[in-house]
Amino acid sequence: MSTTHFPVAIVGGGLGGLTAARVLHVNGIESVIFDLESGPEARTQGGMLDIHEENGQKALHAAGLHGAFLKIVHEGGQAMRLLGPDGTVRVSSEDEGDGDRPEVDRGDLRDLLLNSLPEGTVHWGRKVTGARPLGDGRHEVSFTDGTVITSDLLIGADGAWSRIRPLLSDAEPAYTGISFVETDLYEADTRHPRSAAVIGGGFFIALGHGSGLLAHRETDGSLHVYTARKADEGWIDTIDFSDPVAAKAAVLAHFEGWDEDLRGLVADAETITPRRIHALPVGHRWNRVPGVTLLGDAAHVMSPFAGEGANLAMYDGAELALALAADPGDTEAALAAYEEALFPRSEASAVESAASLDTMFGEDGLEQMAGFFTSGPAGR
Ligand SMILES: Cc1cc2nc3c(=O)[nH]c(=O)nc-3n(C[C@H](O)[C@H](O)[C@H](O)COP(=O)(O)OP(=O)(O)OC[C@H]3O[C@@H](n4cnc5c(N)ncnc54)[C@H](O)[C@@H]3O)c2cc1C
């Protein structure tokens, strides 16, 4: 069993961990990332993200990558449509590009960050099983292959089911009461024209009776759809997802009476994958533990209904790196300053995300969301 020492070790190469490593790098601090994926191409990074001016874009500025980011923005991706279950269009905005929430493909954004790091920063195929304190802020991190490393500063950026979080907190994500079934429809304009037409050029929501369909048109012309339901935690286990025809029928049974074009987003799909939505307690925080901290979903996974998770992960990564760069001689002071701002920031977003969940899946979710999208600046 070999032991290698790294001054700064980040567990998790998602958007949060990559942003932290990049902002550390531009400030002259080198780090390593350990990720369980076998390589950068191991998993498709589907999904569109809108990157907010007040957090995600600030992180990209700190990373020196905002100009490059603007080049990968999905033109027209900010368009949005809200429909009722009968197919009536309640809100439709074809985006003129006001620029504060540009949409980007998650995979393109990850590649941008990955390619900005010194070669060898990310150690792929390294699944962490746990970590233990060695004293004086140092930690030992263990991997599934039996190896261990030690660090002076350990950063848990390993998502909702973090293996680093137990060093700081006993909290675990709990089921939110919402289950997703994700579907994809490829080459939509030619192969699925009715679905392409119903979704439009960007983001799409249809809501009714405690259920919803949320979808994006992706940059490659495919449609990615989240079928969302208020459901018992065991609902997904009652469906055999190895039999796509039966699985689609089981999901559509909960969308009886919905417009046929909307049902087509499931009926005509080429992939079907279940996902339960989990969240850490709102206001999750911990007492300072020397030599270790968390960022992104590891610190505050929340339901995706505020559209903030990826933005917050990147912002956390940048803020942590900037705090460390501002106080290079005193890591503990830097971590304390980072966490002091992190806790209220993530609590505010978690409150918003829990409230959005209640609104969207409440009895009058459609009316509430129609009001939300047609009020305020820029109709949001
Ligand atoms: C359905 C859905 C839709 C969403 N839509 C949006 C949206 O529109 N906008 C938005 O801002 N956010 C959205 N989010 C939230 C967003 O995806 C997350 O908040 C964001 O990805 C968190 O980034 P992260 O870097 O903290 O963690 P992750 O993206 O989870 O990255 C964690 C990394 O750690 C690695 N890892 C995990 N465990 C280990 C281990 N034991 N050892 C080594 N490596 C490990 C993983 O391989 C991964 O690379 C959505 C989430 C969901 C579920």
Side-chain angles (χ1 to χ4, degrees):
M1 191 162 75
S2 64
T3 304
T4 313
H5 183 76
F6 296 96
V8 183
I10 301 171
V11 179
L15 293 175
L18 291 172
T19 306
R22 168 66 185 178
V23 178
L24 285 171
H25 172 67
V26 299
N27 285 281
I29 302 171
E30 297 313 325
S31 63
V32 286
I33 297 177
F34 297 98
D35 199 285
L36 59 80
E37 300 284 353
S38 58
E41 312 297 340
R43 189 166 55 96
T44 53
Q45 303 282 317
M48 301 300 295
L49 299 170
D50 54 333
I51 302 302
H52 305 168
E53 203 167 22
E54 66 278 13
N55 43 32
Q57 290 190 52
K58 273 194 183 162
L60 287 161
H61 277 294
L65 295 172
H66 194 262
F69 156 74
L70 291 178
K71 293 192 180 128
I72 58 168
V73 161
H74 178 202
E75 290 297 330
Q78 283 190 87
M80 79 78 54
R81 309 183 88 205
L82 173 68
L83 277 69
D86 61 356
T88 310
V89 178
R90 298 296 306 272
V91 180
S92 175
S93 78
E94 288 306 316
D95 174 55
E96 299 301 328
D98 69 2
D100 69 339
R101 295 195 160 195
E103 292 265 347
V104 69
D105 179 277
R106 183 192 282 264
D108 291 347
L109 184 57
R110 191 179 76 145
D111 287 349
L112 177 67
L113 287 161
L114 262 179
N115 295 334
S116 75
L117 293 173
E119 209 168 324
T121 300
V122 184
H123 296 223
W124 298 105
R126 302 298 307 276
K127 182 171 182 179
V128 168
T129 52
R132 68 183 179 99
L134 298 174
D136 297 330
R138 293 170 67 244
H139 285 86
E140 181 186 80
V141 181
S142 308
F143 297 86
T144 46
D145 60 8
T147 57
V148 295
I149 62 112
T150 56
S151 66
D152 297 320
L153 170 58
L154 177 60
I155 299 172
D158 50 340
W161 305 103
S162 173
R163 299 296 181 120
I164 304 305
R165 189 167 55 230
L167 291 169
L168 294 147
S169 156
D170 293 334
E172 289 202 3
Y175 179 59
T176 58
I178 300 293
S179 288
F180 275 14
V181 176
E182 298 187 32
T183 54
D184 290 290
L185 295 89
Y186 299 117
E187 298 171 43
D189 287 332
T190 48
R191 292 173 54 198
H192 305 286
R194 73 169 175 162
S195 297
V198 83
I199 285 182
F203 181 51
F204 156 97
I205 315 180
L207 288 175
H209 324 300
S211 299
L213 294 160
L214 292 81
H216 277 107
R217 172 186 281 266
E218 311 233 332
T219 43
D220 65 0
S222 63
L223 308 175
H224 190 72
V225 182
Y226 303 104
T227 302
R229 286 196 62 227
K230 247 185 181 169
D232 291 343
E233 193 166 4
W235 174 62
I236 274 173
D237 297 328
T238 65
I239 300 173
D240 178 6
F241 284 92
S242 68
D243 179 348
V245 175
K248 287 181 194 177
V251 172
L252 284 171
H254 296 280
F255 290 81
E256 286 297 339
W258 282 51
D259 176 71
E260 278 308 309
D261 288 350
L262 295 177
R263 288 168 56 85
L265 297 174
V266 177
D268 300 342
E270 289 156 80
T271 66
I272 183 159
T273 317
R275 182 200 291 270
R276 292 182 187 87
I277 302 299
H278 289 83
L280 278 165
V282 172
H284 176 235
R285 58 183 62 211
W286 54 85
N287 294 323
R288 178 91 294 286
V289 174
V292 58
T293 194
L294 304 174
L295 62 80
D297 279 6
H300 47 63
V301 64
M302 57 191 75
S303 76
F305 302 111
E308 288 281 8
N311 284 277
L312 288 179
M314 293 169 66
Y315 192 66
D316 292 351
E319 288 289 285
L320 172 58
L322 291 172
L324 290 163
D327 213 343
D330 192 345
T331 300
E332 283 312 300
L335 296 183
Y338 159 72
E339 290 172 355
E340 194 181 326
L342 168 77
F343 295 143
R345 176 169 77 234
S346 41
E347 180 169 358
S349 289
V351 166
E352 191 194 333
S353 139
S356 296
L357 185 156
D358 288 343
T359 302
M360 287 175 73
F361 298 98
E363 265 317 298
D364 62 346
L366 177 62
E367 299 310 322
Q368 297 263 355
M369 292 307 287
F372 173 74
F373 282 118
T374 50
S375 67
R380 298 193 68 167

